[in-house]
Amino acid sequence: MIVIYGCYRSRATRNIWLLEEIGHPWRLERVVQHYRVAASARENGIVHTRSAAFLARFPAGTIPVMQDGDVWLSESLAINHYVTRNYGGAFAHHSDAEDATSMQWTLFGATSVEPSALALSVLSQAATPDATEIDAHERRLDRPLRVLETVLERGDWLVGDRFGVADINMAEILRFAASRPDMLSRFPATAAWLAKCQGRPAFQRMWALRSSEPAEIAARTS
Ligand SMILES: N[C@@H](CCC(=O)N[C@@H](CS)C(=O)NCC(=O)O)C(=O)O
C-alpha cells in the first residue's frame, strides 16, 4: 500500500492518476497547503505544509510526499518514476532507453513548461488579470510547445508507441495552462493528445476526487 501525503487539489493528482492507471493500492493521508487552511482550522487538528510534525520530516514543506514501506519521497514527478519502475508491470518502461527518454520529457516538462504554465494558472485567476504578464508567459511557452507539437505530430505518445508515465507527467504539467485555451489551440496535435490523456478512465477517477475537495479547508467540526 502506497501512502500519499497531500490532498486532491495539489500535485498529488499526478501520483493518484498513475496509481489508478496501474491499479496499485494507495491511500491518502491528508496534508493541505497551509494557505488553504482557514486560520481557525490551523490549531484544530488539520495537518498542513507548515505543521511542525510535517516540517520535521520534510523541511521543504511541500506536498505530495510518498511513503512505500521504508521509502519516503517528495517531488511528484520523481514519485511517479519510482512507482512506474517498481509497480508499473506492463506499464513500466521496456528498456533503459525508454526509461531515460521518459525522464527526458519529465525534466523538460518540469524545467521548460511548468514555470510559465503555473504562472498562467495563477495569473488567470487574479481578480484583474495582468495581460502583459500573461502575454510574456505565453511567449515563453511558445518554444517548448512547438517542441511537443513536433513530437506529437509524429506519434501518438511521448515515449514508444504507448501511453506512459511521461504522458501523465507532461499532461498534468500542461493542465496548468488549461486556462489559456486559445494558446493551446495553436498546437492542435498537443491539444488532441491532452484531450486523449484526460479522457482515460484513471484520469477521470482522479478528477472526480479532486473536484470533490473544497478549495478552502474549514475547521473540523467533530
Ligand atoms: N516540485 C514539487 C512542487 C511541490 C509543491 O510546490 N507543492 C505545493 C502544492 S501543489 C505545495 O506543497 N504548496 C504548499 C506550500 O508551499 O506551503 C513537486 O512536484 O512535488
Side-chain angles (χ1 to χ4, degrees):
M1 167 80 67
I2 283 187
V3 186
I4 300 291
Y5 291 76
C7 55
Y8 296 128
R9 288 184 185 272
S10 77
R11 289 173 176 86
T13 51
R14 299 166 178 182
N15 310 129
I16 294 169
W17 180 2
L18 171 63
L19 287 159
E20 284 294 309
E21 198 70 59
I22 63 175
H24 191 80
W26 63 277
R27 71 178 172 83
L28 190 78
E29 195 65 47
R30 195 165 75 144
V31 179
V32 299
Q33 297 92 333
H34 69 99
Y35 50 80
R36 283 180 56 213
V37 183
S40 60
R42 294 215 180 111
E43 290 77 44
N44 200 13
I46 304 283
V47 182
H48 56 80
T49 49
R50 294 293 176 275
S51 295
F54 184 69
L55 284 174
R57 189 175 269 277
F58 288 102
T62 59
I63 50 174
V65 167
M66 181 218 74
Q67 182 191 8
D68 178 29
D70 292 341
V71 180
W72 289 81
L73 270 183
S74 58
E75 290 299 327
S76 58
L77 303 170
I79 293 169
N80 272 2
H81 277 269
Y82 169 87
V83 170
T84 301
R85 272 187 205 146
N86 288 283
Y87 303 109
F91 186 85
H93 302 112
H94 294 179
S95 67
D96 285 350
E98 267 193 14
D99 189 37
T101 311
S102 218
M103 187 62 80
Q104 167 201 289
W105 288 120
T106 291
L107 291 174
F108 181 74
T111 56
S112 297
V113 181
E114 185 163 279
S116 281
L118 185 57
L120 285 172
S121 166
V122 174
L123 286 164
S124 303
Q125 290 169 47
T128 38
D130 181 334
T132 312
E133 275 281 292
I134 288 178
D135 189 53
H137 283 291
E138 287 200 353
R139 279 169 200 271
R140 260 173 236 152
L141 280 176
D142 194 60
R143 193 157 169 245
L145 287 181
R146 272 193 282 126
V147 172
L148 279 182
E149 185 69 4
T150 306
V151 172
L152 293 166
E153 275 169 354
R154 288 189 200 135
D156 287 346
W157 308 110
L158 288 176
V159 180
D161 55 1
R162 63 193 192 284
F163 176 78
V165 66
D167 297 294
I168 291 181
N169 287 348
M170 188 68 81
E172 278 293 274
I173 288 169
L174 256 193
R175 185 162 61 75
F176 286 139
S179 56
R180 313 304 304 164
D182 289 353
M183 175 186 73
L184 284 179
S185 67
R186 295 205 311 273
F187 304 94
T190 305
W193 160 85
L194 188 58
K196 215 166 34 166
C197 290
Q198 295 182 343
R200 296 180 71 85
F203 175 92
Q204 296 292 330
R205 287 197 293 278
M206 172 279 280
W207 194 247
L209 290 169
R210 186 187 181 279
S211 306
S212 70
E213 186 176 277
E216 166 135 329
I217 311 296
R220 245 204 273 263
T221 51
S222 59

